[in-house]
Amino acid sequence: MRRREFITILGGTAVTWPISARAQQTMMPVIGFLGSASAEPFQRALAAFRDGLKEAGYIEGRNVLIEYRWAEDRYDRLPALVAELIHRQVAVIIASGGPAPALAAKVATTTIPIVFTAVSDPVASGLVASLNRPGGNVTGTSALTIELDAKRLELLRELAPAGGAIAALINPGRPDVESQIKSMQEAARTLAQQLVLLKAGRENEIDSIFASLAQQRIGALLVGADPFFASRRGQIIALAARHTMPTIYAQREFVADGGLISYGTRLVDGYRQAGIYAGRVLKGVKPADLPVVRPTKFELVLNLKTAKALGLTVPPSLLVAADEVIE
C-alpha cells in the first residue's frame, strides 16, 4: 500500500472513532496528579492511589481521567506544572510528595479542591487551619515523617556499633527543613548522641557525602524522609552497602530493595486514602468537610541479609519488635 493511500484510510478512520472516544473522554472528570519527585519510585504508591479511587467508585480510563505532572525533584517547576493542570480544567488536584506541591497548588487556586499526601505537619505548613476542620479547598493525609525521627535515631543506636557519631542526611530544599532539623537535634540531645547534619539536594552531592563519611568518623546514617531521597533510593542503598554504613530509612521500600532498617508509616496507606478522598470530592464533598487523615499504624522492617553483609548482630529485642524481617 502506498503511503498516501494509507494516510487517506487512516484519516477516514479517524473521523469515525477517535471523535467518539474524545467526546466520551470530555464527559469524564479529570484528576490532576502533581508529584514533586519522579514517577518510577512511586509506582506502588500510585497503584494504592488507584485502589482508593476504585473503592470510591472510579477507575482510571473508564469513568475518570488522570493527568500526571512530575517535577523531577525540582521544586521551582511546581508553579508551572500547577498552571498546566488548572488550564486542563481538572476537577481535583492530588499533591504528592511532601508539602511543596500542596503549597504550590494552594497558592495557584482557591477553588479547585486539593488533596495532599505525605505531609508531616499540614497545620504548621500553612495548608489547613486544623486537622479536624481543614477549611478552604485543601485536605489530605499526614505521614508523620518528621515526628518519627527521634524513634529512628533510637533504633539506629540500638543496631549500629556503639560510640560513633551518627549523621542525618537532609534535603535543604524541603520547605519544612528547619522543622526537620530541629526535630533531629532535639532527639539527639535527649539521647546524648552526637549528630552531624549533612545536606544534599542534588544527586552528585549524595555521592560526595558518602565519600566523606569515613573521614568524619561517622558510625551510622539516618536518611531523612524526603521525596528526593525516595527517588534516589537505588543510589543511596548502593552507597550505604559500598561504604558499609548502617543506615535507617523512613520507608519500607528502601529495606525491600536492600537497605538495612526502616521505621515509619506505610506510604501506600496514605495514597490509598488520597484516592478515596479524591473520589469523594468528585462526588461533591467539599475538602473543608474532610478531616486530615493521620496514620495509626507504624512499621519496623529489618533486612537480615544486609545486616549480615555489614557485619552487624541484630539484637533480639529488635527482631521481636520488627513487623517484617527480610532474610
Side-chain angles (χ1 to χ4, degrees), residues 149 166-172 174 177 180-181 184 195-202 205-210 213 218 220-226 228-230 232 235-236 239 247-249 254:
D149 281 331
I166 292 178
L169 181 62
I170 59 174
N171 177 9
R174 183 184 173 105
V177 67
Q180 189 175 38
I181 291 173
M184 290 178 174
L195 184 70
V196 179
L197 293 175
L198 303 173
K199 300 179 181 181
R202 289 191 291 268
E205 291 176 339
I206 296 175
D207 290 325
S208 299
I209 281 174
F210 270 92
L213 290 177
I218 301 298
L221 177 67
L222 187 161
V223 175
D226 192 86
F228 169 66
F229 298 140
R232 300 294 184 274
Q235 176 192 10
I236 293 173
L239 287 168
T247 306
I248 191 167
Y249 309 93
F254 281 88

Side-chain angles (χ1 to χ4, degrees), residues 9-323:
I9 292 172
L10 183 60
T13 306
V15 173
T16 58
W17 63 267
I19 288 179
S20 173
R22 286 197 299 271
Q24 185 179 8
Q25 286 187 345
T26 57
M27 296 172 62
M28 295 185 192
V30 181
I31 294 173
F33 193 102
L34 178 66
S36 60
S38 53
E40 185 178 354
F42 287 88
Q43 290 307 306
R44 290 183 71 247
L46 287 174
F49 172 72
R50 296 187 190 104
D51 287 342
L53 268 180
K54 188 176 180 180
E55 287 185 43
Y58 291 93
I59 298 176
E60 183 179 10
R62 183 177 300 178
N63 59 353
V64 69
L65 299 176
I66 305 179
E67 287 278 341
Y68 298 94
R69 297 292 186 276
W70 298 93
E72 304 289 343
D73 303 308
R74 288 183 51 189
Y75 292 161
D76 60 315
R77 295 183 59 196
L78 289 169
L81 297 177
V82 173
E84 289 180 16
L85 294 176
I86 293 174
H87 181 72
R88 181 66 174 83
Q89 297 182 333
V90 297
V92 57
I93 295 174
I94 305 301
S96 161
L103 289 169
K106 184 179 181 180
V107 168
T109 177
T110 58
T111 56
I112 299 175
I114 300 165
V115 178
F116 57 77
T117 66
V119 175
S120 185
D121 191 339
V123 177
S125 297
L127 289 170
V128 297
S130 73
L131 298 178
N132 291 330
R133 298 179 179 275
N137 63 320
V138 184
T139 188
T141 66
S142 170
L144 292 182
T145 51
I146 292 176
E147 293 88 339
L148 299 179
D149 281 331
K151 182 63 175 178
R152 294 187 191 105
L153 192 59
E154 182 182 338
L155 289 167
L156 188 57
R157 280 200 357 150
E158 190 173 350
L159 183 57
I166 292 178
L169 181 62
I170 59 174
N171 177 9
R174 183 184 173 105
D176 56 354
V177 67
E178 293 304 322
S179 296
Q180 189 175 38
I181 291 173
K182 182 180 178 181
S183 172
M184 290 178 174
Q185 289 176 332
E186 287 178 352
R189 279 195 295 269
T190 300
L191 295 170
Q193 171 63 53
Q194 182 185 355
L195 184 70
V196 179
L197 293 175
L198 303 173
K199 300 179 181 181
R202 289 191 291 268
E203 189 171 336
N204 63 334
E205 291 176 339
I206 296 175
D207 290 325
S208 299
I209 281 174
F210 270 92
S212 69
L213 290 177
Q215 298 173 356
Q216 298 184 63
R217 297 183 180 179
I218 301 298
L221 177 67
L222 187 161
V223 175
D226 192 86
F228 169 66
F229 298 140
S231 66
R232 300 294 184 274
R233 187 163 68 232
Q235 176 192 10
I236 293 173
I237 293 170
L239 287 168
R242 186 185 311 162
H243 294 277
T244 59
M245 181 60 56
T247 306
I248 191 167
Y249 309 93
Q251 299 163 353
R252 74 169 303 281
E253 285 78 7
F254 281 88
V255 184
D257 288 349
L260 175 62
I261 182 173
S262 68
Y263 182 75
T265 58
R266 284 173 53 86
L267 186 68
V268 292
D269 290 346
Y271 278 84
R272 175 182 156 275
Q273 183 61 52
I276 293 173
Y277 265 19
R280 295 185 66 182
V281 168
L282 291 177
K283 291 178 179 178
V285 180
K286 296 179 180 178
D289 297 327
L290 294 172
V292 174
V293 178
R294 304 195 88 192
T296 58
K297 184 187 298 184
F298 311 98
E299 61 179 2
L300 171 63
V301 183
L302 273 167
N303 191 316
L304 289 185
K305 183 178 179 181
T306 301
K308 183 178 180 180
L310 292 172
L312 298 174
T313 300
V314 179
S317 57
L318 280 185
L319 288 173
V320 172
D323 298 279

